[in-house]
């Protein structure tokens, strides 16, 4: 059964018509950043060509149009993750800034020396470094939920880890292994000890039906550029009561209600956290991206990716039964479409270079998850990741090209 | 495209040029409450004299500065609620917000027109209906509702 | 003498062909945000259509191309303000974030209770609120350089104000009054007492030849969207030695050299301050915008705006000699092209609304400078601001439309 | 478009598969220095034994892990500087960086080809020239220079 008409979808992505080294582009690096459909590019271009102005500031027609477009995009994105209110959906620079926002405001207002934060070995640097910075500044302890040998979180010691914790930070889907931790279970465990739960949903939102209320999370961070949207914008969803009680983050225009020589009063949510001129066209692109995905249906997107990932795992294991090692769960029910692997004797970088000759784009490196790489005991992996515009032919090209790489380096 | 006449009805300009109930009331017994529009710096100051026995808005005075819409709306509001019971005043607030088709941030169970009708049912807005044209100028809705939000805050604080 | 061929320039801006209420768009709100030429829109669109990928991460061809385009944009922007090195040019979300970055890193690492920061009455909220936040947190004192009755900075008490100061923050051009303070003189005065100088050049860079070295400043902040570039990106220039010594700001991908379970090592400049996926297409647009301006010549841009501002000041004062008040210096040698004014009896909002009927876009409000508005003793002004795509006809339409507004409200 | 052969010359693959001077040296007298490439996690470890009397690189051993380019470059570097004077080693570093057309961040007085010639003048790069193909793959330049930057750091620290 096919869930998406990939041939038709491919036509919506101009870059996929490009050739590299005489080959059609086979883009398998969407976990790093996704490509953009015409609908997204046109939405932004059209705004700039017909109704661009700064938002929330002007009385004139195009300023009203721009403001409506910006806030309309917020509503779309909020709905896409089932946020109960647009007041809870803050546009940020990217997912990284969203997490830093929580670290700089909520955490610095609430955490004291001796408090603990619990993270997992799966985390991306975006959900590690802000907490390292806080830990160094405040004497906060960072604890780690380890990984089982089959690449799942090891929750056997969860209660002890959460004891005395104020925050649990967990990625809803690993960008390296594809692992999807049991978010709701972890959130419940955090709440049971009075801790808050922050979900790094940067890899999850683009590929799944997301429901922040079903997770019962407190904060959820994600980026537009990974879900067919533009660079320069991300989002933080947070519970209204929490956001309301938090001190502001960046100071400046828009985030204020009043400024005097001796102080200021912050604005209402969500604008309290949106200092300075917002990523206006980017918000419009973000909205167009979630529209595009909603039209495909996130259920169908997930089903398509499960099917394709199963096909890829199978193809890799069949073709390279002895030389290639896959890092991540093999059951597609429990994982997303980011597939990390390594040849025993060839460095990830070199593999990627050879693949590029065939127009195949994969990522080689530590994937901004160096703690995880240390746990895995490898300096780098090669990662192929799939999205709505990929099909089995793309996987076939990947496998053929990998075979070439193997031949080139191992003879 | 809506024209200026939709926005600046004669009665609005009249209230702007000759605001009703301008002044102050001694505090206490009156209650003073201020509202700001962060976009443009408009200010509304209300002095509310609510009779606790009858729960009636015995007197209202207004002050502040701002655009014609915010000032006219304040003046019209003061005329509309003076002498009314607190319950009636609150009903007017709801009706006025419905007239302005104010959505709160909530994404579930949004108004669908039926809500609007329900709010307006049985409430006589009178002159205030002249402000309906503001709806077509979304940025100005905040100008029109400033006085009403401030009134609501004032009633909450005195109640 | 004409410095710019405005008729030809107008054709580069698609939005200027738009009609509002049956009138040609007369856009006079560039101080809030500027419109974008086709060259900028195409640069971004083309990147997304042909060579988009995440930067600094991939080995494959389009990732290399994207990285080169991103870093090439940095070089262009650095050159545009005569930065000595690209290591000193950090891409931020906007000017506001650039200033907050300094407040969160340099200032929090270096300022103690009792230290003073000197600002001016001209500052935009972006250069006020971050310091209010710091003042409240740290017990740092904020002092104010006042304004003279003719809208210049009053430097008569400068030495006393700077005594014991650690930082001077000054806008190189007021977004409300157009005033251009003597930046170099202020920087020298700050340095003489051992203070650093931060220049908010958000209004200056778009309209003048900028030379951060000639200013001898320590930090300079500006935004792309005010200089024909896209939303979602700004820049902080800072001295290399200072940036090097500063702690990082946001934590995450790209800004690290290494991350372990127990800590991290920051990356080199400028990437140390660029956490997470950067505004990639926005950087490309930023680069295209400074290219466009450089092709016009910033000397010519400034000369054009002086001429046009003089024409506008003249026209306003002649037409409304008694009813209209102009806020700001009248000598165009000492001011930029943001012209604030007020009719005695008509609110700025209402003026702007009437102007919109004629397609004229001006800004009405406090212009994110409430402290200044309080000093001026007005709640709001109307502001017309000029850029490369404005000409005398635009000013004529403005004046005619203002006459209508006057008639409408004052009869 | 440059092809793979430009990058992966036979001699490079040979150094990759059979790195020279792999091992450790006792510290002290040797000096140990590590380099990282944050992009890919490549690591280079150098053990430098510099004779302070003659200012000569008496011995070099290498360790670490990484891609073929970084590891081959490390191996070739070790072979090239072993037995050389510190001054010669530093000249090799400059020449190699020039070969990689490394621009520093500086925007004034950038190299214009003449610089490159000057740096390369009189320096025999030998096998190292095989790495020249890397220039056409900008991302990989950091792989090739990692060993050299680490060497530079090591010489600075021992000097
Ligand atoms: C003088 C000045 N500083 C700072 C800013 C803030 O710029 P942004 O909103 O792009 O961060 C502005 C823009 O309104 C400005 O005019
Ligand atoms: C799991 C995860 N979290 C966070 C991030 C950071 O996203 P961004 O770079 O858009 O801030 C990424 C992207 O690489 C990611 O994969």
């Amino acid at each position: 059964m096919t869930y998406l008409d990939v041939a038709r979808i491919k036509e919506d992505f101009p870059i996929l018509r490009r050739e590299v080294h005489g080959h059609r582009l086979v883009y398998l690096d969407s976990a790093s950043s996704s490509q953009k459909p015409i609908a997204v590019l046109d939405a932004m271009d059209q705004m700039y060509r017909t109704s661009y102005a700064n938002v929330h500031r002007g009385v004139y027609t195009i300023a009203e149009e721009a403001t409506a477009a910006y806030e309309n995009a917020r509503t779309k994105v909020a709905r896409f993750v089932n946020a109960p209110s647009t007041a809870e959906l803050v546009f940020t620079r990217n997912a990284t800034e969203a997490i830093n926002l929580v670290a700089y405001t909520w955490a610095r207002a609430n955490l004291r020396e001796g408090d603990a934060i619990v993270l997992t070995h799966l985390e991306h640097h975006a959900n590690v470094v802000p907490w390292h910075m806080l830990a160094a500044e405040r004497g906060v302890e960072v604890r780690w939920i380890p990984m089982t040998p089959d690449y799942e979180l090891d929750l056997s010691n969860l209660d002890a880890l959460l004891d005395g914790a104020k925050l649990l930070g967990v990625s809803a889907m690993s960008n390296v292994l594809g692992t999807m931790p049991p978010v709701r279970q972890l959130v419940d465990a955090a709440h049971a000890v009075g801790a808050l739960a922050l979900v790094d949903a940067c890899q999850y939102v683009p590929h799944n039906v997301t429901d922040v209320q079903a997770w019962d999370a407190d904060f959820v961070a994600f980026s537009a550029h990974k879900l067919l949207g533009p660079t320069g914008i991300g989002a933080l969803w947070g519970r209204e009561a929490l956001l309301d009680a938090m001190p502001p983050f960046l100071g400046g225009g828009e985030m204020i209600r009043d400024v005097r020589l001796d102080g200021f009063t912050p604005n209402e949510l969500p604008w309290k956290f949106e200092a300075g001129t917002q990523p206006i066209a980017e918000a419009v692109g973000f909205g167009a991206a979630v529209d595009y995905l909603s039209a495909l249906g996130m259920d169908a997107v997930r089903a398509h990716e499960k099917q394709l990932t199963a096909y890829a795992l199978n193809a890799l294991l069949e073709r390279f039964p002895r030389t290639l090692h896959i890092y991540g769960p093999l059951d597609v029910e429990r994982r997303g479409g980011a597939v990390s692997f390594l040849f025993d004797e060839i460095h990830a970088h070199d593999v990627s270079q050879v693949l590029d000759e065939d127009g195949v784009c994969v990522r080689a490196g530590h994937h901004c998850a160096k703690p995880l790489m240390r746990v895995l005991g490898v300096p780098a992996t090669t990662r192929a990741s799939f999205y709505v515009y990929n099909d089995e032919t793309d996987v076939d090209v990947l496998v053929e090209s990998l075979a070439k790489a193997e031949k080139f380096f191992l003879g | 495209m809506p024209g200026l006449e939709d926005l600046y009805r004669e009665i609005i300009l009249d209230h702007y040029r000759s605001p009703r109930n301008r002044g102050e009331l001694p505090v206490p017994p009156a209650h003073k409450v201020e509202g700001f529009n962060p976009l443009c710096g408009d200010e509304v100051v209300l002095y509310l004299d609510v009779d606790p026995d009858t729960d009636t808005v015995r007197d209202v005075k207004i002050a502040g500065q701002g655009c014609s819409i915010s000032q006219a709306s304040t003046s019209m509001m003061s005329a509309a609620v003076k002498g009314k019971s607190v319950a009636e005043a609150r009903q007017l607030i709801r009706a006025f917000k419905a007239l302005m088709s104010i959505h709160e941030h909530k994404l579930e169970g949004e108004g669908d027109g039926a809500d609007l009708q329900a709010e307006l049912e049985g409430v006589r807005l009178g002159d205030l209906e002249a402000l309906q044209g503001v709806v077509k100028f979304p940025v100005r809705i905040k100008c029109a509702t400033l006085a009403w939000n401030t009134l609501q805050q004032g009633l909450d604080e005195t109640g």
Side-chain angles (χ1 to χ4, degrees), chain A, chain B:
Chain A
M1 184 180 166
T2 55
Y3 300 94
L4 298 179
D5 183 351
V6 178
R8 226 219 54 240
I9 291 173
K10 275 184 191 284
E11 295 192 351
D12 292 337
F13 291 79
I15 201 171
L16 298 182
R17 292 198 279 278
R18 165 164 181 182
E19 297 207 332
V20 170
H21 303 306
H23 299 274
R24 144 180 106 77
L25 191 71
V26 175
Y27 188 74
L28 299 175
D29 195 19
S30 297
S32 178
S33 196
S34 67
Q35 297 300 341
K36 326 299 174 197
I38 292 170
V40 168
L41 300 180
D42 280 358
M44 296 193 287
D45 205 53
Q46 273 312 103
M47 156 165 250
Y48 279 131
R49 281 168 188 263
T50 64
S51 45
Y52 174 75
N54 215 326
V55 299
H56 291 298
R57 287 176 188 172
V59 179
Y60 51 84
T61 301
I62 55 172
E64 279 199 7
E65 290 172 0
T67 304
Y70 179 74
E71 292 301 333
N72 192 23
R74 189 195 308 280
T75 304
K76 289 178 183 183
V77 175
R79 276 189 209 282
F80 191 67
V81 297
N82 198 30
S85 157
T86 54
E88 297 181 340
L89 201 289
V90 177
F91 282 133
T92 61
R93 170 196 171 99
N94 50 29
T96 301
E97 194 205 18
I99 298 172
N100 278 273
L101 192 165
V102 176
Y104 270 106
T105 60
W106 176 82
R108 275 171 177 71
N110 289 287
L111 298 198
R112 308 268 155 274
E113 185 165 348
D115 284 341
I117 292 174
V118 178
L119 303 174
T120 88
H121 274 171
L122 301 178
E123 300 313 306
H124 184 279
H125 292 162
N127 204 20
V128 173
V129 181
W131 309 116
H132 276 334
M133 289 167 66
L134 180 70
E137 187 185 314
R138 285 290 171 90
V140 163
E141 183 195 352
V142 179
R143 299 178 190 157
W144 299 90
I145 300 179
M147 204 177 62
T148 65
D150 48 350
Y151 309 104
E152 307 274 356
L153 287 185
D154 175 357
L155 303 181
S156 57
N157 212 18
L158 187 60
D159 291 347
L161 284 169
L162 279 173
D163 185 43
K166 289 284 186 344
L167 180 74
L168 169 78
V170 60
S171 167
M173 180 164 133
S174 160
N175 66 316
V176 180
L177 308 174
T179 309
M180 306 206 290
V183 172
R184 175 66 197 237
Q185 179 188 345
L186 287 163
V187 171
D188 286 348
H191 287 173
V193 299
L196 297 191
L198 179 152
V199 181
D200 174 357
C202 212
Q203 293 291 336
Y204 189 92
V205 174
H207 306 284
N208 297 274
V209 176
T210 304
D211 184 338
V212 299
Q213 297 184 65
W215 274 341
D216 201 30
D218 299 292
F219 299 109
V220 174
F222 53 106
S223 276
H225 71 92
K226 299 208 201 259
L227 51 72
L228 311 183
T231 51
I233 191 165
L236 174 69
W237 171 82
R239 277 180 203 280
E240 188 160 350
L242 287 169
L243 295 178
D244 246 338
M246 276 150 58
F249 178 35
L250 304 183
E254 182 73 16
M255 57 67 72
I256 57 92
R257 177 181 302 273
D258 190 24
V259 181
R260 302 167 305 279
L261 288 177
D262 65 348
F264 73 101
T265 324
N267 201 346
E268 291 169 43
L269 293 175
W271 307 289
K272 171 179 165 186
F273 293 108
E274 297 184 352
T277 298
Q278 288 101 334
I280 302 169
E282 289 76 8
V284 169
F286 200 167
V290 303
D291 278 349
Y292 186 93
L293 286 170
S294 299
L296 296 181
M298 290 309 293
D299 279 320
V301 169
R302 169 72 180 136
H304 165 73
E305 291 180 16
K306 274 202 293 204
Q307 201 174 46
L308 191 57
T309 305
Y311 181 84
L313 291 170
N314 224 18
L316 289 169
L317 291 173
E318 261 187 20
R319 181 68 170 255
F320 311 103
R322 256 175 299 273
T323 46
L324 184 135
H325 187 79
I326 288 176
Y327 295 87
L330 295 180
D331 176 0
V332 293
E333 295 300 329
R334 310 173 63 84
R335 61 163 299 144
V339 179
S340 267
F341 55 87
L342 215 47
F343 283 103
D344 286 342
E345 298 282 320
I346 324 175
H347 191 274
H349 244 179
D350 292 317
V351 170
S352 174
Q353 191 83 58
V354 175
L355 265 50
D356 181 54
E357 289 297 309
D358 291 334
V360 179
C361 309
V362 297
R363 177 82 182 280
H366 54 64
H367 317 292
C368 296
K370 287 194 103 179
L372 175 59
M373 302 312 279
R374 288 210 168 85
V375 170
L376 295 175
V378 296
T381 69
T382 312
R383 180 189 66 193
S385 52
F386 308 115
Y387 211 1
V388 294
Y389 37 66
N390 295 123
D391 58 15
E392 299 185 354
T393 314
D394 293 341
V395 174
D396 295 342
V397 174
L398 167 71
V399 171
E400 281 318 307
S401 196
L402 285 172
K404 261 199 223 170
E406 192 176 34
K407 184 130 182 287
F408 187 86
F409 285 101
L410 303 184
Chain B
M1 279 273 108
L4 279 185
E5 321 68 51
D6 293 316
L7 184 63
Y8 296 115
R9 302 274 172 80
E10 196 42 56
I11 180 136
I12 293 177
L13 291 177
D14 178 55
H15 274 270
Y16 175 48
R17 292 184 188 126
S18 328
R20 323 297 194 256
N21 301 307
R22 199 142 179 109
E24 302 188 5
L25 290 175
V27 180
H31 180 73
K32 179 181 172 183
V33 56
E34 293 175 303
F36 285 99
N37 179 342
L39 170 70
C40 57
D42 282 5
E43 261 177 58
V44 163
V45 185
L46 301 184
Y47 296 86
L48 287 174
D49 177 10
V50 176
D51 182 340
D53 298 331
T54 61
D55 233 17
T56 302
V57 182
R58 203 154 34 192
D59 201 0
V60 188
K61 292 283 183 203
I62 63 172
Q65 53 189 357
C67 68
S68 58
I69 302 298
S70 76
Q71 298 309 297
S73 180
T74 310
S75 168
M76 292 162 96
M77 179 276 285
S78 71
V81 299
K82 196 163 153 179
K84 292 277 194 324
S85 75
V86 168
E88 285 168 323
R90 288 191 184 277
Q91 201 179 15
L92 263 179
I93 295 172
R94 279 196 303 276
F96 187 77
K97 288 198 182 176
L99 186 77
M100 293 291 111
S101 48
I102 298 285
H103 304 286
E104 301 295 341
H105 294 291
K106 293 285 165 291
L107 286 173
E108 287 152 307
E110 263 169 51
D112 57 357
D115 285 13
L116 182 64
Q117 281 315 314
E119 289 296 352
L120 294 175
E121 204 83 43
V123 183
R124 296 204 41 241
L125 284 166
D127 282 3
L128 290 170
E129 279 179 12
L131 283 165
Q132 180 150 31
V134 174
V135 178
K136 295 180 200 142
F137 299 82
V139 187
R140 306 305 293 275
I141 292 178
K142 284 200 175 173
C143 308
T145 51
L146 179 60
W148 298 84
N149 287 328
T150 313
L151 173 65
Q152 184 163 349
Q153 191 190 331
L155 293 178
D156 289 351
E157 288 169 5
T158 55

